Amino acid sequence: ILGASGTATLASATITGALTVDTSTLKVDSTNNRVIVGHTSGSSAFQVTNAGAAGLEIQPTGFSSAPLILSYNRSGSAYTQLTLDGSTIVHALSGSTAMTLNSTGLGIGASPSYPLHVQRTSFGVTALFLTQDGTSNPRLAIYGSSSGTIIQNTWSSGASNLIFANGGSAGSGTEMMRIDSSGNVGINVTTFGTSAAKVLGLANATAPSTSPAGMGQLYVESGALKYRGSSGTVTTIAAA
């Protein structure tokens, strides 16, 4: 096919059987339906072998120095941001494992012990950070401190509420409780009155018909604040 010059230009070609280019540069194993790059044999449908250098590199056109994905052998050194190595994603600049996905779950900063396991090594560092609508606008942060675990609404533009909802699909649940930017806490309450701050608001409730042992029940009925003890005694604390 190549002729005396050693080169040829083909509009198309059909090869029946195996294909070998320069012994181990490229191998098409027609028996096992495998493509092997950098080796004479392989055990996967597509296998890239390149000792001491990037085995597989994917990069956008025109950015030869900024690959999107690099896969090295386990003893290789990476010089870009992420290296995919088996079940882990390694931060190449530090050389430490950034993410691990295995049969247990996904671990970020940790080998997973749960389906989703996020771990940070110092207090005051956000472990989980959610943004809104595909932008960088912060919405929710979860992190640890010396005082405990903190769930923080980090939206800083205008009034903001931390809302707990139940039922329905995402974005359409029924609001059960909210904490607003003035520190008001409402149970089935969305407004607190003019200039209210640090107020606890309770919506009219369905009066309890039983008194579980070892507890008391505080509720609002027709605007009046009431308390029911474990013996069933109901006391009106304040009229409507």
Side-chain angles (χ1 to χ4, degrees):
I1 295 177
L2 297 180
S5 66
T7 61
T9 300
L10 301 176
S12 63
T14 300
I15 298 174
T16 301
L19 171 66
T20 300
V21 177
D22 195 22
T23 306
S24 61
T25 299
L26 174 65
K27 173 79 173 183
V28 178
D29 181 349
S30 60
T31 301
N32 298 298
N33 294 325
R34 295 168 180 165
V35 177
I36 305 103
V37 178
H39 206 270
T40 57
S41 63
S43 57
S44 304
F46 180 69
Q47 178 175 317
V48 179
T49 304
N50 193 4
L56 177 65
E57 180 173 332
I58 300 176
Q59 59 187 17
T61 302
F63 291 88
S64 60
S65 62
L68 298 176
I69 297 175
L70 284 179
S71 179
Y72 283 82
N73 65 356
R74 293 187 180 275
S75 61
S77 298
Y79 297 99
T80 55
Q81 190 167 354
L82 292 177
T83 299
L84 182 63
D85 180 12
S87 64
T88 66
I89 293 180
V90 178
H91 189 278
L93 298 181
S94 65
S96 59
T97 299
M99 187 184 305
T100 300
L101 176 64
N102 58 28
S103 59
T104 300
L106 174 63
I108 301 174
S111 179
S113 300
Y114 314 97
L116 176 60
H117 187 167
V118 181
Q119 176 177 304
R120 298 305 300 264
T121 58
S122 59
F123 282 138
V125 177
T126 302
L128 181 62
F129 191 43
L130 304 180
T131 59
Q132 180 194 20
D133 302 331
T135 70
S136 59
N137 295 326
R139 270 300 192 183
L140 180 69
I142 300 177
Y143 57 96
S145 74
S146 57
S147 301
T149 300
I150 297 175
I151 301 175
Q152 180 181 349
N153 183 346
T154 56
W155 182 252
S156 59
S157 178
S160 183
N161 303 301
L162 182 60
I163 297 174
F164 299 85
N166 192 20
S169 58
S172 63
T174 301
E175 180 175 331
M176 297 286 104
M177 186 177 75
R178 73 166 52 196
I179 303 172
D180 72 8
S181 58
S182 297
N184 298 307
V185 178
I187 298 178
N188 263 151
V189 170
T190 59
T191 58
F192 298 90
T194 303
S195 302
K198 302 177 179 64
V199 167
L200 174 63
L202 302 174
N204 281 325
T206 300
S209 57
T210 61
S211 303
M215 66 168 289
Q217 296 164 309
L218 184 68
Y219 61 98
V220 171
E221 185 178 35
S222 299
L225 181 62
K226 298 184 178 182
Y227 173 81
R228 180 180 177 123
S230 59
S231 66
T233 302
V234 176
T235 304
T236 299
I237 300 173

